[in-house]
Amino acid sequence: MSPPLNHIETSPTLPAAADVVVIGGGIIGVFTAYYLAQRGLSVALVEKGRIGAEQSSRNWGWCRQQNRDARELPMASKSLDLWERFAAETGEDTGFHRCGLLYLSNDEAELSRWSSWRAFAKTAGVTTYMLDSRQAAQRGQATGRAWKGGVFSPSDGTADPGKAAPAVARALMKLGGSVHQHCAARGIELEGGRVSGVVTEAGVIKTRTAVLAGGAWASSFCRQLGIRFPQASIRQSILSVSPVENRLPDALFTSGVSVTRRNDGRYALAISGRARVDVTPQFMRFAPQFVPMFAKRWRNLLPGGLEGIRGGHETLKRWRLDAPTPMERVRILDPKPDLPTVRETYRRAVELLPELGEAKITHAWAGFVDSTPDGVPGIGEVPDMPGLILAAGFSGHGFGIGPGAGHLIADLATGAEPIVDPIPYRPSRFSGSAWGKVADF
Ligand SMILES: Cc1cc2nc3c(=O)[nH]c(=O)nc-3n(C[C@H](O)[C@H](O)[C@H](O)COP(=O)(O)OP(=O)(O)OC[C@H]3O[C@@H](n4cnc5c(N)ncnc54)[C@H](O)[C@@H]3O)c2cc1C
């Protein structure tokens, strides 16, 4: 079952040319297109299915600095301001609010990791508070339990994944950008080695700049172009329940289960990091590079099934530009949720917050989280293909940094001063054999 998602209209005609074509209408693609249109550029956004229908509507909605890898922290901080600014400048509702994020734990090692992160974050100007057991019990009063400690990060928040990407796409259209749903990009045209157009199922759009924000499909698309982009996806399951009478915490993390309140009072419930690994040909191809990442996270990973192959997003097959491609066969990646995980999540949530026992499960769904080997996205012009900017591999935490990433991509496309240092994200790091540190989160 798909999660709730607002609908937006499609622009009536595909333009023959645009300054920039953005491929993929997830949170990264829509914010990129919005910031480009804001600078007066003509922008066409092509989306094979519906705006926001893949990862960007399937997530928890957390927009956090807390526990971010050092490489992503500046982008996370800028993004929080940009979420607020977007609402103020467009009047559109993404559901973003700085409700603060609450983390509770009884595990000394976990508390000590949070404490070290806090010391580092302080040097970057981010304030979060360690909670002692009394403060943790007070903030986590709804759990009715004792806690050894916790963290509260007051400047972080959440946005509504069902509203955010459609709201940004609507704002893009108000600025004159066009949005084409049910319109897959099949490939890229080159002239003299440089991007000269994007081939879509509805025709070619001439352009000198294409942004590939294709989420879990990015690596197979790159493969058609002879570009090696190591990417793997895992399937995470999540559910939502109906509102309850008393207000529970807006956003609560515990290692057992996490709970996020939506604006309409529903709660999204999930187990952090728990996922099924659905092996695909692409997964096997890049497996050696993902060994350090999987070694770090293996405790939460379970063997999967055929959902990855059914999705078709990790195919190694070549496709033609004049015939339907895997992207047209699967308009929306809507993998099956893992029912044992859904049941376990609900059970743990009710144990943590007994009041949730009154709530009914309204939706259960899954999403493929696309990851890079070091857990940091690839953002930047692809080496050897001028005019193609890659923006994928957001590794399970790209929703919250959507505005900052979109701004950075628009900066790179227009040669403007980058909003954050682009070096940690550059795709050229994927071409060598030396791999950086795997992100901690
Ligand atoms: C269960 C779950 C929980 C998560 N929780 C959080 C969280 O709390 N906070 C957080 O920050 N992140 C979270 N994430 C991660 C976050 O959702 C993603 O990192 C983010 O949404 C990625 O955005 P995206 O635009 O790159 O990809 P997507 O949202 O997947 O969008 C890519 C789009 O590209 C389209 N596309 C692909 N190929 C083509 C093509 N050739 N032509 C046209 N269109 C194409 C697809 O249809 C898709 O709509 C979570 C993810 C999941 C699944």
Side-chain angles (χ1 to χ4, degrees), residues 391-410:
F394 281 80
S395 305
H397 31 85
F399 179 74
I401 57 172
H407 199 295
L408 173 64
I409 298 157

Side-chain angles (χ1 to χ4, degrees), residues 234 289-298 301 371-376 395 438-439 441:
I234 51 173
Q289 268 137 330
F290 280 88
V291 169
M293 153 98 58
F294 285 109
K296 210 162 181 173
R297 316 239 155 113
W298 68 270
L301 299 176
S371 200
T372 63
D374 59 6
V376 174
S395 305
V438 177
F441 38 79

Side-chain angles (χ1 to χ4, degrees), residues 38 77 130-131 142 187 258 260 300 379 405 409:
Q38 215 181 35
S77 302
M130 286 305 292
L131 308 175
S258 295
T260 312
N300 274 320
I379 304 174
I409 298 157

Side-chain angles (χ1 to χ4, degrees), residues 24 26-28 47-48 55-56 59-60 62 185 214 396-400:
I27 202 69
I28 304 303
E47 164 54 55
K48 66 179 172 56
Q55 293 174 84
S56 297
N59 60 69
W60 300 9
W62 286 37
H397 31 85
F399 179 74

Side-chain angles (χ1 to χ4, degrees), residues 23-29 46-64 68 183-186 212-218 221 236-238 327 331-332 365-370 391-401:
I23 301 167
I27 202 69
I28 304 303
V46 296
E47 164 54 55
K48 66 179 172 56
R50 283 178 62 197
I51 292 295
E54 293 196 349
Q55 293 174 84
S56 297
S57 58
R58 291 166 188 269
N59 60 69
W60 300 9
W62 286 37
C63 304
R64 63 174 173 88
R68 278 267 168 197
C183 181
R186 291 177 175 169
L212 176 56
W217 300 80
F221 193 94
Q236 292 193 348
S237 298
I238 172 167
M327 286 97 62
R331 294 283 174 187
I332 296 173
W365 65 92
F368 280 117
V369 170
D370 73 307
F394 281 80
S395 305
H397 31 85
F399 179 74
I401 57 172

Side-chain angles (χ1 to χ4, degrees), residues 171-243:
L172 161 68
M173 288 197 274
K174 284 187 204 152
L175 291 174
S178 61
V179 174
H180 309 278
Q181 296 173 101
H182 225 261
C183 181
R186 291 177 175 169
I188 301 286
E189 280 184 350
L190 301 175
E191 266 171 36
R194 188 192 162 91
V195 170
S196 63
V198 172
V199 182
T200 79
E201 61 181 297
V204 176
I205 311 174
K206 286 294 190 191
T207 188
R208 285 177 60 75
T209 309
V211 176
L212 176 56
W217 300 80
S219 183
S220 61
F221 193 94
C222 282
R223 187 172 155 77
Q224 310 301 310
L225 307 171
I227 298 161
R228 189 176 174 284
F229 172 42
Q231 188 184 30
S233 50
I234 51 173
R235 175 168 44 108
Q236 292 193 348
S237 298
I238 172 167
L239 66 141
S240 74
V241 296
S242 57

Side-chain angles (χ1 to χ4, degrees), residues 6-7 32 121 179 198 210 215 260 263 321 351 375:
N6 284 356
H7 171 77
T32 300
V179 174
V198 172
T260 312
N263 293 4
L321 300 188
E351 199 176 279

